[in-house]
Amino acid sequence: MSRIDELKQLIKKYDEQYYELGQSDISDAEYDRLYDEYVALEKQFPEYALMPDSPTRTVGAGEKAGTSTTLQKFTHKSPLLSIDRKAKEISELRDFYEKCGCPQVIVEPKLDGITCNINYEDGKFVNAATRGNGYIGDLVTDNFKVTDTKYPEQIDVSELEVRGEAIIPFNFFKKHLMEDYSNPRNAVSGIMRQISSKDVKGKGVQVMFYDLGQSSKNYSKDSEFVEDLKSHGFQSVPVCIANNWTELEQIVSSRLNGYIQQVDGFNVLMDKKKEFPQAVCDGLVIKVNDFKLREEIGMSQKGPKWAFAYKFKPLQATTRIQKVIWQTGKSGRITPVALFDEVSLGGTKITRATLNNIDYMNQMGLSWNDDIVVERSNDVIPRVIEVKQHNEGIDEQGNKESFNQPLLCPVCHEKIKVIYPLLYCDNPACSAQIKGKIVHYASRDALNIVGLGQGIVDVLFENQLLTDLPSIYDLKDHRQELEALPKFGQKKVDNLLNSIEKAKNPELAQFIYGLSIPEVGKKTAKDLAQRYHTLNDFLECTMEQLLDMEDIGEVIAQNILDFVSNEHVLKWIEELRQKGVSCKEVQINSDELKGKTFVITGTLAHPRKYYQDIIEAKGGKVSSSVSKKTCAVLIGTDAGSKETKARELVNKGESIVLLTTEEEIASYFGI
C-alpha cells in the first residue's frame, strides 16, 4: 500500500473513533500531522482529491457517521461543515487573514466537545441533533432536554437553526468523571449518544451556542447574531472583535484576552463572574464577521474558506524509552504504558505515558531505546505521540527488543480476552482489579478509610496482608506484621485500623458507590439508596424497578443487574457482612415529600447537606438540575443559571415554588 493510501485509511479510522465512538487512540497533534502529510501528498497526486471519500472532502465520520447508534437520524436544514484551514503557527493565521482582505473578524473559543444544533419552527423549539457527517446526524432531542443547557423554549423568530457544542464543564469532569474518561470530550461524546435520556441527566452536559445555521431573520454580521442569542437567553460563548491584524494578534496571543487558561494540563475557558461554564478548549476560531463578505470568499468541499482554526500547541518533550509495562485496571482493561527518562511538562515531572493499545504501538514501530515524543494536552494522562528517532541498542538480555502483545494478564497470568485493539483480563480474582476496587472502596466518597491509598494497598498486597475487599477487615489481626513494614509504626497502624473499624457502618449510598459498579457514580448511588433503603432490597432490584427511576436508563440498569447477580460479588458482600459490615438503613421519617423533586442552588445559611437531609428524611429527592418536574427550588446568593431556568419555567406557567429566604424555607419544610 502506498503512503497516501495508508494515511487515508488511518485518517478514516481515527475520524470514526473520534466522531462516532467518542474515543481517540492518538492525540490531536498527531492526527494533525497525519492529516497535513496527507494533504501535501494529495497535492502531488490530485486524483485523490477527486475521490468522494478523500479526508479533505469528508466531515466527521463520513459514511460511518451514525452507524454505532440506533438513534433516529435527522437531515440538517443546512450542512454542519468543518473548518478546513487550521494551524498552530501565527504566521499561517496572518496568511489567512491577509488573503481574506484583512477584514473585521470575530474570535471565539474552539470548544472541545461534540457539535450539534437545535431547531425552532413557528418560534418553538422542535428538536436537537448531532453533527454526524455534516448532512445527517443523530436525533438527540430527549437527551438535549435533560442537559443543563440554558436555552429558550420559544423565541420571536419563526425559523431558526442554531449550532452549538455539547461540553462537560471541567470542574464537573474532575469531580465526577475523571476516573472513567481520559478527557471531557470523550465523556460528553459517549453520554450524549445514549439511547435513554435517563443516562444523560445529571451528567453535567451543557450546550454552548456559537453559530447560525438558518434563520428567518436577516443578520448582516455574525456579532449581531451572537448578541441576539444572548438576548433570547441562549448560553453562548464569549467572543472578541478584531478590526485589524494588531488587534487579532493580541487576542490570539492572550488566549482570548485571558479567558482561556491552562489548568492541570487542560486549556480551560475561565470566568470569574461565572457567566459561562468551564469549557475545555483546544484553540480559537477566527471568522470573517461580515456575512456578505463570507459569500464572496466562498466555501471549499469540506467547509468555509472564511474561517480559520488556530490550535494551541500542546506541551511536548523528547525523551528515550526504557521499557513498556502492561497495566491491568479495576475494569480488567490492560493498557500499555511507556517508561522513559524523566521529562518536565508544564512544571510536572513525568516518567511514564500511555501508549493506548497494541494497534497504536504497532503503527509507531516502537522498540527499546528509541527517542520518543511525549505530549500532554487536554488529557488526564500524558501520551507517547511518535518515535522521533529509532536508535540502535540492546536490552538487558542483549537483544534488540520490540514490544509485543502479551498473551497473559501481566498480574494474574490468566489468559487475555482480545477485543482488538483492546485487551482485557477476564479473571475477577485478578489482584490488579481487586487493588483498584479496594482503593475505590476506601476513597473519601465511598467508605472513607483514611490511609488506604494506592501506595499502601500495593505494599499490603505485596506482603499478602490484603487479598480482596473483605480482607480489609482482617488487618486488625495482623498488627505486628503491619508495624514491621517500612514507614509504618504504631501510630500509623492505629489510625488505619481505627478508620477501618469506623467503616463498618457506612451509609447505604457510600457502600453502593464503593462497590465499583460500572457507571454508577455518587449521585446514582444516592438515588439507589433512596429508592431501596436497605442493602438486601437493593440486591433484589429488577430491571423494571431500575428503569422506573428518573435518572437511570437501560445501560446503567443492565450494569447494576449484571453486578448484583455476579456470584463473586455476592460472595464478597456476604463475607463483608460476616466481618461486621452493616449498612445503615435509609431512614424515611415520613412520606410527606414522596415523589417530589427539589433543587438547591447558591449559597444558603447552612451547608447544602443540611437541607438535603431534611428533604430526604421526608421522602423527597434532591436533583442537580431544574426541570418541569421540579417541585421547589431553594435559592441562595450567586445562584446562577439554575435560578434563571427556574424563573423562566415559572413565567411559562410551571408550578415551581421559589424559596428565596431562610424564613420561606423554614416555613415550607416546617423547621
PDB file of all heavy atoms in Angstrom, residues 332-354:
ATOM      1  N   GLY A 332     -10.450  -4.373  34.372  1.00  0.00           N
ATOM      2  CA  GLY A 332      -9.859  -5.509  33.669  1.00  0.00           C
ATOM      3  C   GLY A 332      -9.149  -5.125  32.386  1.00  0.00           C
ATOM      4  O   GLY A 332      -8.454  -5.952  31.793  1.00  0.00           O
ATOM      5  N   ARG A 333      -9.311  -3.882  31.938  1.00  0.00           N
ATOM      6  CA  ARG A 333      -8.633  -3.476  30.701  1.00  0.00           C
ATOM      7  C   ARG A 333      -7.129  -3.402  30.925  1.00  0.00           C
ATOM      8  O   ARG A 333      -6.663  -2.867  31.936  1.00  0.00           O
ATOM      9  CB  ARG A 333      -9.161  -2.132  30.207  1.00  0.00           C
ATOM     10  CG  ARG A 333      -8.479  -1.674  28.920  1.00  0.00           C
ATOM     11  CD  ARG A 333      -9.101  -0.431  28.346  1.00  0.00           C
ATOM     12  NE  ARG A 333      -8.290   0.086  27.260  1.00  0.00           N
ATOM     13  CZ  ARG A 333      -8.578   1.181  26.559  1.00  0.00           C
ATOM     14  NH1 ARG A 333      -9.672   1.869  26.832  1.00  0.00           N
ATOM     15  NH2 ARG A 333      -7.792   1.593  25.595  1.00  0.00           N
ATOM     16  N   ILE A 334      -6.383  -3.939  29.947  1.00  0.00           N
ATOM     17  CA  ILE A 334      -4.917  -3.974  30.028  1.00  0.00           C
ATOM     18  C   ILE A 334      -4.353  -2.932  29.061  1.00  0.00           C
ATOM     19  O   ILE A 334      -4.601  -2.992  27.856  1.00  0.00           O
ATOM     20  CB  ILE A 334      -4.390  -5.377  29.684  1.00  0.00           C
ATOM     21  CG1 ILE A 334      -4.975  -6.404  30.657  1.00  0.00           C
ATOM     22  CG2 ILE A 334      -2.870  -5.403  29.729  1.00  0.00           C
ATOM     23  CD1 ILE A 334      -4.708  -7.839  30.270  1.00  0.00           C
ATOM     24  N   THR A 335      -3.605  -1.986  29.610  1.00  0.00           N
ATOM     25  CA  THR A 335      -3.119  -0.855  28.822  1.00  0.00           C
ATOM     26  C   THR A 335      -1.599  -0.808  28.821  1.00  0.00           C
ATOM     27  O   THR A 335      -0.977  -0.948  29.883  1.00  0.00           O
ATOM     28  CB  THR A 335      -3.651   0.470  29.409  1.00  0.00           C
ATOM     29  OG1 THR A 335      -5.074   0.407  29.500  1.00  0.00           O
ATOM     30  CG2 THR A 335      -3.248   1.650  28.544  1.00  0.00           C
ATOM     31  N   PRO A 336      -0.977  -0.603  27.642  1.00  0.00           N
ATOM     32  CA  PRO A 336       0.482  -0.451  27.604  1.00  0.00           C
ATOM     33  C   PRO A 336       0.902   0.942  28.059  1.00  0.00           C
ATOM     34  O   PRO A 336       0.286   1.947  27.691  1.00  0.00           O
ATOM     35  CB  PRO A 336       0.814  -0.665  26.123  1.00  0.00           C
ATOM     36  CG  PRO A 336      -0.433  -0.257  25.388  1.00  0.00           C
ATOM     37  CD  PRO A 336      -1.583  -0.581  26.291  1.00  0.00           C
ATOM     38  N   VAL A 337       1.955   0.983  28.872  1.00  0.00           N
ATOM     39  CA  VAL A 337       2.465   2.252  29.387  1.00  0.00           C
ATOM     40  C   VAL A 337       3.966   2.300  29.151  1.00  0.00           C
ATOM     41  O   VAL A 337       4.684   1.344  29.456  1.00  0.00           O
ATOM     42  CB  VAL A 337       2.167   2.406  30.893  1.00  0.00           C
ATOM     43  CG1 VAL A 337       2.792   3.685  31.441  1.00  0.00           C
ATOM     44  CG2 VAL A 337       0.665   2.393  31.146  1.00  0.00           C
ATOM     45  N   ALA A 338       4.426   3.414  28.582  1.00  0.00           N
ATOM     46  CA  ALA A 338       5.858   3.582  28.325  1.00  0.00           C
ATOM     47  C   ALA A 338       6.547   4.182  29.544  1.00  0.00           C
ATOM     48  O   ALA A 338       6.041   5.139  30.144  1.00  0.00           O
ATOM     49  CB  ALA A 338       6.064   4.491  27.116  1.00  0.00           C
ATOM     50  N   LEU A 339       7.693   3.617  29.924  1.00  0.00           N
ATOM     51  CA  LEU A 339       8.554   4.200  30.948  1.00  0.00           C
ATOM     52  C   LEU A 339       9.766   4.803  30.250  1.00  0.00           C
ATOM     53  O   LEU A 339      10.349   4.183  29.364  1.00  0.00           O
ATOM     54  CB  LEU A 339       9.000   3.137  31.946  1.00  0.00           C
ATOM     55  CG  LEU A 339       7.906   2.339  32.669  1.00  0.00           C
ATOM     56  CD1 LEU A 339       8.534   1.430  33.715  1.00  0.00           C
ATOM     57  CD2 LEU A 339       6.893   3.258  33.299  1.00  0.00           C
ATOM     58  N   PHE A 340      10.138   6.022  30.631  1.00  0.00           N
ATOM     59  CA  PHE A 340      11.209   6.729  29.906  1.00  0.00           C
ATOM     60  C   PHE A 340      11.989   7.637  30.845  1.00  0.00           C
ATOM     61  O   PHE A 340      11.617   7.841  32.012  1.00  0.00           O
ATOM     62  CB  PHE A 340      10.614   7.543  28.758  1.00  0.00           C
ATOM     63  CG  PHE A 340       9.348   8.294  29.118  1.00  0.00           C
ATOM     64  CD1 PHE A 340       9.386   9.462  29.865  1.00  0.00           C
ATOM     65  CD2 PHE A 340       8.105   7.810  28.717  1.00  0.00           C
ATOM     66  CE1 PHE A 340       8.235  10.148  30.196  1.00  0.00           C
ATOM     67  CE2 PHE A 340       6.931   8.480  29.042  1.00  0.00           C
ATOM     68  CZ  PHE A 340       6.998   9.657  29.789  1.00  0.00           C
ATOM     69  N   ASP A 341      13.077   8.182  30.324  1.00  0.00           N
ATOM     70  CA  ASP A 341      13.882   9.127  31.084  1.00  0.00           C
ATOM     71  C   ASP A 341      13.019  10.333  31.446  1.00  0.00           C
ATOM     72  O   ASP A 341      12.233  10.821  30.631  1.00  0.00           O
ATOM     73  CB  ASP A 341      15.090   9.594  30.263  1.00  0.00           C
ATOM     74  CG  ASP A 341      16.047   8.444  29.949  1.00  0.00           C
ATOM     75  OD1 ASP A 341      16.001   7.427  30.667  1.00  0.00           O
ATOM     76  OD2 ASP A 341      16.810   8.565  28.974  1.00  0.00           O
ATOM     77  N   GLU A 342      13.181  10.823  32.654  1.00  0.00           N
ATOM     78  CA  GLU A 342      12.317  11.882  33.191  1.00  0.00           C
ATOM     79  C   GLU A 342      12.331  13.151  32.333  1.00  0.00           C
ATOM     80  O   GLU A 342      13.384  13.617  31.889  1.00  0.00           O
ATOM     81  CB  GLU A 342      12.754  12.225  34.613  1.00  0.00           C
ATOM     82  CG  GLU A 342      11.871  13.260  35.299  1.00  0.00           C
ATOM     83  CD  GLU A 342      12.362  13.594  36.685  1.00  0.00           C
ATOM     84  OE1 GLU A 342      12.183  12.745  37.587  1.00  0.00           O
ATOM     85  OE2 GLU A 342      12.943  14.694  36.873  1.00  0.00           O
ATOM     86  N   VAL A 343      11.132  13.710  32.107  1.00  0.00           N
ATOM     87  CA  VAL A 343      10.983  14.996  31.427  1.00  0.00           C
ATOM     88  C   VAL A 343      10.018  15.847  32.243  1.00  0.00           C
ATOM     89  O   VAL A 343       9.310  15.352  33.120  1.00  0.00           O
ATOM     90  CB  VAL A 343      10.440  14.837  29.988  1.00  0.00           C
ATOM     91  CG1 VAL A 343      11.443  14.145  29.099  1.00  0.00           C
ATOM     92  CG2 VAL A 343       9.104  14.090  29.986  1.00  0.00           C
ATOM     93  N   SER A 344       9.982  17.145  31.950  1.00  0.00           N
ATOM     94  CA  SER A 344       9.065  18.060  32.630  1.00  0.00           C
ATOM     95  C   SER A 344       8.091  18.638  31.619  1.00  0.00           C
ATOM     96  O   SER A 344       8.488  19.177  30.589  1.00  0.00           O
ATOM     97  CB  SER A 344       9.844  19.191  33.311  1.00  0.00           C
ATOM     98  OG  SER A 344       8.948  20.095  33.943  1.00  0.00           O
ATOM     99  N   LEU A 345       6.788  18.512  31.910  1.00  0.00           N
ATOM    100  CA  LEU A 345       5.739  19.089  31.061  1.00  0.00           C
ATOM    101  C   LEU A 345       4.889  20.012  31.917  1.00  0.00           C
ATOM    102  O   LEU A 345       4.191  19.558  32.828  1.00  0.00           O
ATOM    103  CB  LEU A 345       4.857  17.993  30.448  1.00  0.00           C
ATOM    104  CG  LEU A 345       5.481  17.122  29.366  1.00  0.00           C
ATOM    105  CD1 LEU A 345       4.503  16.064  28.890  1.00  0.00           C
ATOM    106  CD2 LEU A 345       5.931  17.976  28.184  1.00  0.00           C
ATOM    107  N   GLY A 346       4.966  21.305  31.631  1.00  0.00           N
ATOM    108  CA  GLY A 346       4.184  22.259  32.396  1.00  0.00           C
ATOM    109  C   GLY A 346       4.543  22.276  33.868  1.00  0.00           C
ATOM    110  O   GLY A 346       3.681  22.498  34.723  1.00  0.00           O
ATOM    111  N   GLY A 347       5.824  22.022  34.187  1.00  0.00           N
ATOM    112  CA  GLY A 347       6.263  22.038  35.578  1.00  0.00           C
ATOM    113  C   GLY A 347       6.069  20.733  36.311  1.00  0.00           C
ATOM    114  O   GLY A 347       6.458  20.605  37.474  1.00  0.00           O
ATOM    115  N   THR A 348       5.468  19.731  35.649  1.00  0.00           N
ATOM    116  CA  THR A 348       5.252  18.422  36.268  1.00  0.00           C
ATOM    117  C   THR A 348       6.275  17.421  35.744  1.00  0.00           C
ATOM    118  O   THR A 348       6.427  17.287  34.530  1.00  0.00           O
ATOM    119  CB  THR A 348       3.832  17.911  35.968  1.00  0.00           C
ATOM    120  OG1 THR A 348       2.879  18.864  36.443  1.00  0.00           O
ATOM    121  CG2 THR A 348       3.586  16.580  36.644  1.00  0.00           C
ATOM    122  N   LYS A 349       6.957  16.733  36.651  1.00  0.00           N
ATOM    123  CA  LYS A 349       7.933  15.727  36.243  1.00  0.00           C
ATOM    124  C   LYS A 349       7.211  14.446  35.841  1.00  0.00           C
ATOM    125  O   LYS A 349       6.367  13.939  36.584  1.00  0.00           O
ATOM    126  CB  LYS A 349       8.917  15.459  37.374  1.00  0.00           C
ATOM    127  CG  LYS A 349       9.822  16.661  37.690  1.00  0.00           C
ATOM    128  CD  LYS A 349      10.771  16.364  38.833  1.00  0.00           C
ATOM    129  CE  LYS A 349      11.663  17.568  39.115  1.00  0.00           C
ATOM    130  NZ  LYS A 349      12.588  17.311  40.248  1.00  0.00           N
ATOM    131  N   ILE A 350       7.564  13.914  34.670  1.00  0.00           N
ATOM    132  CA  ILE A 350       6.860  12.755  34.117  1.00  0.00           C
ATOM    133  C   ILE A 350       7.868  11.693  33.703  1.00  0.00           C
ATOM    134  O   ILE A 350       8.884  11.996  33.065  1.00  0.00           O
ATOM    135  CB  ILE A 350       6.006  13.171  32.903  1.00  0.00           C
ATOM    136  CG1 ILE A 350       4.894  14.130  33.365  1.00  0.00           C
ATOM    137  CG2 ILE A 350       5.392  11.968  32.207  1.00  0.00           C
ATOM    138  CD1 ILE A 350       4.124  14.753  32.232  1.00  0.00           C
ATOM    139  N   THR A 351       7.581  10.452  34.077  1.00  0.00           N
ATOM    140  CA  THR A 351       8.455   9.336  33.701  1.00  0.00           C
ATOM    141  C   THR A 351       7.685   8.230  32.994  1.00  0.00           C
ATOM    142  O   THR A 351       8.261   7.212  32.646  1.00  0.00           O
ATOM    143  CB  THR A 351       9.138   8.729  34.944  1.00  0.00           C
ATOM    144  OG1 THR A 351       8.131   8.307  35.869  1.00  0.00           O
ATOM    145  CG2 THR A 351      10.058   9.745  35.604  1.00  0.00           C
ATOM    146  N   ARG A 352       6.374   8.415  32.783  1.00  0.00           N
ATOM    147  CA  ARG A 352       5.568   7.391  32.110  1.00  0.00           C
ATOM    148  C   ARG A 352       4.437   8.056  31.340  1.00  0.00           C
ATOM    149  O   ARG A 352       3.997   9.155  31.663  1.00  0.00           O
ATOM    150  CB  ARG A 352       5.005   6.389  33.113  1.00  0.00           C
ATOM    151  CG  ARG A 352       4.121   6.993  34.206  1.00  0.00           C
ATOM    152  CD  ARG A 352       3.520   5.908  35.097  1.00  0.00           C
ATOM    153  NE  ARG A 352       4.546   5.085  35.723  1.00  0.00           N
ATOM    154  CZ  ARG A 352       4.338   3.859  36.172  1.00  0.00           C
ATOM    155  NH1 ARG A 352       3.132   3.324  36.077  1.00  0.00           N
ATOM    156  NH2 ARG A 352       5.315   3.164  36.725  1.00  0.00           N
ATOM    157  N   ALA A 353       3.970   7.376  30.293  1.00  0.00           N
ATOM    158  CA  ALA A 353       2.869   7.889  29.479  1.00  0.00           C
ATOM    159  C   ALA A 353       2.172   6.731  28.785  1.00  0.00           C
ATOM    160  O   ALA A 353       2.796   5.695  28.492  1.00  0.00           O
ATOM    161  CB  ALA A 353       3.384   8.891  28.429  1.00  0.00           C
ATOM    162  N   THR A 354       0.897   6.896  28.513  1.00  0.00           N
ATOM    163  CA  THR A 354       0.125   5.824  27.900  1.00  0.00           C
ATOM    164  C   THR A 354       0.501   5.618  26.433  1.00  0.00           C
ATOM    165  O   THR A 354       0.865   6.565  25.732  1.00  0.00           O
ATOM    166  CB  THR A 354      -1.389   6.084  28.012  1.00  0.00           C
ATOM    167  OG1 THR A 354      -2.102   4.972  27.445  1.00  0.00           O
ATOM    168  CG2 THR A 354      -1.799   7.347  27.266  1.00  0.00           C
TER     169      THR A 354
END
